[in-house]
Amino acid sequence: MEVILMECVKAGGDRQELHEAIRVHSMDAGKVVKGEGKSNDLLERIAKDALFEAVHDKLGTLVDPKLFIGRANEQTQEFLEEEIQPVLEKEKGLLGKEVVDGVNV
C-alpha cells in the first residue's frame, strides 16, 4: 500500500488523508474477509475511491508481486545448486530404490 500512497502523494494528494483512507479501506476489507469469508477486496475499494484517482489506471502494476520479492528467485536457485544438488548427487544411489515401509502391529 505504501507504493500506492507515495504515487498519490507525488500526484499532489495529501499524505495524511490518503493514509487514513487506506487504513479505513483496509479495516473494512478485513471485516469482510474475517466476518463473511469473502475475498479481500481492498484494491477494488481503492480503485473506486476518488482520492486514489491518480493511480486508478496503474493499480495492477503498482502492486505486482514481482516488485516485492527481491532476490528470492536467485536465492532459491543458489540454495538448490549449492545445498540440495550436492546431497542429491551424493545420495543418487538411493534415488529410484524401491522402499517398502510398513507398520506391523
Side-chain angles (χ1 to χ4, degrees):
M1 293 298 108
E2 185 71 19
V3 68
I4 293 172
L5 176 73
M6 296 314 295
E7 285 297 313
C8 287
V9 169
K10 285 181 193 175
D14 179 270
R15 187 183 192 291
Q16 293 298 85
E17 185 179 19
L18 291 160
H19 186 273
E20 178 62 13
I22 288 174
R23 187 189 72 76
V24 169
H25 286 312
S26 295
M27 297 295 289
D28 291 344
K31 287 177 188 172
V32 169
V33 171
K34 294 173 189 172
E36 301 174 26
K38 294 181 180 176
S39 296
N40 187 332
D41 66 347
L42 178 58
L43 290 178
E44 288 85 3
R45 291 170 185 270
I46 289 173
K48 293 176 184 174
D49 188 332
L51 278 176
F52 299 95
E53 188 173 357
V55 296
H56 283 172
D57 61 337
K58 53 187 172 182
L59 270 177
T61 58
L62 290 175
V63 296
D64 182 351
K66 291 178 184 175
L67 299 174
F68 304 99
I69 61 171
R71 291 193 60 245
N73 287 336
E74 292 87 355
Q75 289 172 323
T76 301
Q77 191 62 40
E78 289 169 11
F79 176 77
L80 291 172
E81 291 170 2
E82 296 170 11
E83 303 294 331
I84 302 301
Q85 196 58 44
V87 173
L88 291 175
E89 189 61 36
K90 178 183 171 193
E91 304 297 342
K92 68 181 171 185
L94 296 175
L95 296 175
K97 280 191 175 183
E98 184 176 337
V99 177
V100 179
D101 286 337
V103 177
N104 295 319
V105 181

